[in-house]
């Protein structure tokens, strides 16, 4: 029952006291969706107004998109319509042909996705992500030397 649900917030090794959560079922509580890392399941990354969903299968990702859409409707939250899908995989593995939807609108596939300013390549090649800060630092250094 929702009235007997409790929760805590954990960040790294720090954890709050347990508190009651009297309203509804916690999002994803029964879904167990996400990527599995040892004994941890990670399904969503949140930072300010950025949300990234992580899934191990096409069906799981569409289910997660449906959960987010339902939650947004319930709380009357509108989502930016420029959402993108990136399929991380090894070279030689074809991109998923599934058309993912959010609010019955198809989502665009991309080969590079910027998360918090860092470009993530569909083949998990991080050279561009490393090169951008290095180039920026070089330009900053030249600017400082010139002054």
């Amino acid at each position: 029952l929702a009235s007997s649900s409790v929760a805590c917030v954990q960040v790294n090794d720090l954890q709050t006291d347990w508190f009651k959560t009297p309203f509804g079922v916690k999002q994803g509580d029964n879904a167990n969706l996400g990527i599995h890392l040892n004994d941890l399941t990670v399904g969503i990354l949140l930072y300010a107004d950025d949300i990234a969903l992580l899934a191990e299968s096409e069906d799981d990702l569409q289910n997660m998109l449906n959960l987010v859409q339902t939650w947004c409707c319930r709380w009357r939250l509108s989502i930016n319509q420029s959402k993108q899908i990136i399929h991380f995989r090894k070279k030689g593995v074809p991109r998923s042909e599934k058309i993912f939807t959010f609010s019955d609108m198809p989502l665009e596939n991309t080969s590079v996705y910027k998360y918090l300013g860092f470009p993530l390549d569909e083949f998990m090649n991080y050279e561009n992500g490393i090169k951008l800060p290095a180039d920026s630092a070089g330009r900053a250094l030249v600017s400082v030397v010139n002054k």
Side-chain angles (χ1 to χ4, degrees):
L1 295 172
S3 62
S4 64
S5 294
V6 292
C8 72
V9 176
Q10 181 172 343
V11 177
N12 297 326
D13 295 331
L14 302 174
Q15 181 176 312
T16 67
D17 292 333
W18 289 91
F19 53 91
K20 291 182 181 180
T21 55
F23 301 104
V25 176
K26 295 177 290 298
Q27 187 69 31
D29 209 26
N30 296 320
N32 195 30
L33 299 172
I35 59 172
H36 302 285
L37 305 168
N38 298 323
D39 60 345
L40 183 65
T41 301
V42 179
I44 189 168
L45 301 175
L46 303 166
Y47 184 81
D49 64 348
D50 284 336
I51 298 172
L53 300 177
L54 307 171
E56 291 185 349
S57 74
E58 294 171 336
D59 289 339
D60 284 358
L61 181 56
Q62 187 59 63
N63 287 334
M64 294 168 81
L65 288 164
N66 295 343
L67 284 169
V68 170
Q69 195 270 329
T70 300
W71 188 89
C72 288
C73 283
R74 178 178 183 185
W75 296 104
R76 298 181 182 143
L77 181 68
S78 62
I79 298 290
N80 182 334
Q81 295 301 313
S82 64
K83 293 173 285 305
Q84 297 177 321
I85 299 290
I86 186 166
H87 177 194
F88 294 113
R89 63 197 186 282
K90 293 180 182 178
K91 285 190 179 191
V93 174
R95 180 188 284 178
S96 169
E97 293 184 20
K98 180 171 177 68
I99 297 172
F100 296 94
T101 60
F102 188 86
S103 296
D104 297 323
M105 293 177 49
L107 301 179
E108 174 190 350
N109 275 300
T110 185
S111 58
V112 177
Y113 179 75
K114 269 193 176 179
Y115 185 69
L116 302 180
F118 189 87
L120 301 168
D121 176 275
E122 65 187 328
F123 300 115
M124 296 173 276
N125 177 358
Y126 303 112
E127 288 176 18
N128 286 337
I130 294 167
K131 187 176 181 328
L132 286 173
D135 290 349
S136 179
R139 285 190 300 275
L141 181 60
V142 167
S143 176
V144 169
V145 169
N146 288 336
K147 290 184 181 192

